[in-house]
């Protein structure tokens, strides 16, 4: 049976329908309910009470919308909520006050009532009125079924968590041991933007990303992260702890920012859960735990939530952020700054028009159009999936390189009439590109282009794959380009390219990259991670004769008579840091 969208048990139904309540004001009924279950202001007003009663008499079926994307709605099942509170209780957590900032139907509140007999006060906040009712009804049902249970003062507040002043809330519960518990919404600000939703904090650029980073998505953040950070800021000096189910990426960001924020939190733990089983979604998420009022910790220990096995530790070591802090700290030796600048491949956001295959003397695009182009601006294009081999020297796909450097005027395109005609025909596709980087730039602009793109040899890696494998790219008459899912270094000399390719594929470099990257990130390899590989140090810690052997094996696969000697690696030691122009 449902009332105002909330499920109601027979026990609660009979209780609310009891004869004593007939003709009584809501304030009288509220007092009775508070006496039974500790829940304050069960009915916020007489009108709400009358509405509820009317619905109770009708007991109409209401339906929860199945998927409330805007609210990042993934209710925690009761079994998991109980496992979490049981785990916290076994750890010695004995809260006097519990705050659930987005409490939903209230499973964490009920689990807390069962496992923490020490609680004197509970505050739950939730935006969705059906869940607020459900939560209050569940609490009433719990106390009607367990009349002897410890009865804290309970407030379930219908409110937008972004409008709650947690510092004020803190004053209400001062001097108590606090547990901030829950599972905040699973949604990012860019998803909310796409949904045209306003379920956002007012200051959306809370990470203070500037310029290109904000435009290219680095300013994108999880709402859960904003909520946790707000709570930590308010409660870091209180006694108690926080325990939240959140995406691993949120935990990673909190620990990453901890180097700068130095919040007074410690005992940082990430307990991995199986989201497919618990929420039927394919997301990497965990129970995050931290203790307040302590020396700022910079490491997070990762466990399996179900069996308690320790899996790894991540965080800061000597100023470097590691995804896997090894007992053997030799990898830290190559942590530094690359002497060569890593580049991201070409970005055009117009694959229907800009990606094509050869067909006889013509080209065919993704729109299945066949057309002619002058060869001058056509270059072979490699994508992540093309970087599986050790050496690549041809491509299936081609692209039109409309500029030689970012921001170059595109007037010269008229000199290539067939290419110009083809591009003009599709000008609307280019003008439709959403990313703001194209605004104010010439028509047909591309990004990730510069002198470095036109060097003949490249050493590249996919940002999307977890294999940590570098590919040597040879020219196919002209230099081959890579797309923006890949990162590369480029060279004028084949010997230099082979030397760096060999060094990057050594165990020490790959293990180092593994220790600083997160396999559950959307883009595991980033420019930042690659720039941390100090090639000169990697060379110092590598076995030079082994390097020579491996480099010469590469030469033999490309049928090049050249061979490499020990001194051919020396340039890696000497290279000055190149200036990054874009
Ligand atoms: C991931 S669910 C978890 C619910 C509950 N904490 C649990 O563990 O079952 C997130 C909850 O946040 C609520 N919510 C979303 N945006 C909110 C906001 N701005 N203020 C308060 N609650 C919000 C949703 O309605 C939903 O109930």
């Amino acid at each position: 049976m449902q009332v105002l969208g909330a499920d109601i048990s027979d026990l609660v139904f009979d209780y609310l329908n009891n004869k004593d309540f007939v003709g009584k004001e809501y304030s009288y009924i509220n007092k009775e309910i508070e006496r039974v279950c500790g829940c304050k202001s069960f009915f916020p007003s007489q009108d709400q009470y009358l509405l509820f009663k009317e619905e109770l008499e009708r007991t109409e079926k209401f339906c929860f919308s199945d998927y409330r994307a805007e609210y990042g709605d993934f209710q925690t099942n009761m079994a998991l909520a109980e496992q979490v509170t049981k785990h916290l209780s076994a750890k010695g957590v004995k809260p006097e006050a519990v705050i659930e900032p987005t409490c939903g139907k209230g499973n964490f509140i009920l689990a807390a009532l069962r496992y923490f007999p020490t609680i004197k006060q509970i505050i739950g906040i939730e935006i969705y009125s059906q869940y607020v009712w459900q939560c209050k009804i569940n609490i009433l049902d719990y106390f009607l079924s367990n009349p002897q249970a410890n009865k804290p003062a309970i407030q379930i507040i219908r409110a937008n968590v972004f409008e709650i002043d947690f510092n004020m809330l803190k004053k209400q519960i001062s001097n108590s041991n606090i547990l901030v518990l829950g599972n905040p919404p699973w949604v990012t600000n860019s998803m909310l933007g796409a949904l045209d939703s306003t379920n956002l904090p007012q200051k959306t650029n809370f990470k203070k990303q500037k310029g290109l980073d904000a435009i290219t998505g680095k300013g994108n953040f999880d709402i859960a992260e904003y909520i946790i950070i707000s709570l930590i800021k308010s409660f870091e000096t209180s006694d108690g702890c926080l325990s939240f189910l959140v995406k691993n990426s949120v935990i990673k960001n909190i620990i990453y920012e901890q180097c700068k924020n130095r919040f007074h939190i410690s005992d940082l733990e990430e307990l991995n859960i199986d989201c497919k089983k618990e929420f039927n979604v394919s997301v990497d998420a965990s129970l995050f735990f931290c203790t307040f009022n302590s020396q700022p910790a910079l490491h997070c220990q990762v466990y399996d939530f179900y069996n308690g096995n320790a899996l790894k530790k991540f965080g800061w070591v000597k100023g470097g952020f590691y995804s896997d802090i090894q007992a053997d700290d030799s990898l830290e030796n190559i942590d530094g700054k690359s002497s060569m600048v890593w580049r991201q491949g070409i970005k055009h956001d117009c694959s229907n028009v800009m990606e094509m295959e050869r067909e006889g003397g013509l080209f065919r695009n993704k729109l299945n159009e066949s057309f002619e182009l002058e060869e001058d601006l056509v270059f072979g294009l490699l994508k992540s999936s093309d970087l599986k081999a050790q050496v690549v020297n041809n491509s299936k796909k081609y692209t039109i390189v409309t500029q030689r450097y970012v921001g170059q005027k595109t007037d010269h395109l008229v000199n290539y009439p067939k290419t110009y005609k083809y591009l003009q025909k599709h000008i609307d596709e280019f003008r439709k590109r959403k990313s703001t980087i194209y605004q104010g730039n010439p028509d047909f602009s591309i990004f990730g282009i510069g002198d470095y793109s036109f060097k003949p040899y490249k050493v590249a890696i996919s940002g999307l794959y977890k294999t940590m494998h570098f590919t040597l790219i040879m020219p196919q008459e002209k230099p081959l380009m890579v797309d923006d899912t890949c990162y590369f270094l480029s060279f004028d000399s084949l010997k230099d390219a082979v030397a760096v390719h060999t060094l990057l594929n050594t165990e020490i470099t790959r293990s180092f990259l593994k220790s600083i990257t997160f396999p559950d990130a959307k883009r595991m390899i980033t420019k930042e991670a690659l720039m941390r590989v100090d090639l000169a140090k990697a060379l110092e810690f590598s076995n030079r004769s082994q390097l020579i052997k491996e480099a010469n094996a590469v030469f033999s696969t490309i049928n090049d008579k050249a061979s490499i000697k020990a001194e051919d690696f020396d340039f890696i030691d000497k290279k000055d840091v190149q200036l990054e122009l874009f």
Side-chain angles (χ1 to χ4, degrees), residues 71-72 74-76 100 102 104 108 126-127 131 160-161 183 199:
Y71 294 100
F74 292 90
Q75 300 292 306
T76 310
E100 221 290 31
T102 56
F108 268 120
E126 168 61 46
I127 198 165
Y131 286 169
N160 181 346
V161 69
N183 170 7
N199 191 22

Side-chain angles (χ1 to χ4, degrees), residues 348 351 355 366 380-388 395 397 461-462 464-465 473 481-486:
H348 50 63
S351 62
E355 287 178 16
K366 285 193 171 174
L381 179 72
L382 299 171
K383 305 172 88 93
S384 280
S385 53
D386 299 316
L387 298 186
K388 288 186 183 135
S395 68
K397 292 221 178 317
I461 186 165
S462 157
L464 307 181
Y465 295 156
I473 302 175
M481 301 289 156
V482 293
D483 77 1
D484 63 341
T485 61
C486 311

Side-chain angles (χ1 to χ4, degrees), residues 401 409 416 459 520 528:
V401 178
K409 287 193 174 154
Y416 309 97
V459 176
D520 47 22
E528 286 80 3

Side-chain angles (χ1 to χ4, degrees), residues 68 70-77 81 100-108 125-128 131 157 159-164 181-187 198-200 223 227 245 279:
R68 298 170 51 246
E70 178 181 2
Y71 294 100
D73 186 2
F74 292 90
Q75 300 292 306
T76 310
N77 65 65
E100 221 290 31
T102 56
C103 65
K105 299 180 190 178
N107 281 348
F108 268 120
I125 298 152
E126 168 61 46
I127 198 165
Y128 192 39
Y131 286 169
I157 305 164
N160 181 346
V161 69
F162 304 126
E163 286 164 12
I164 296 282
L181 179 68
N183 170 7
W186 298 21
V187 65
T198 51
N199 191 22
L200 274 171
I223 295 302
I227 295 174
L245 287 176
F279 296 98

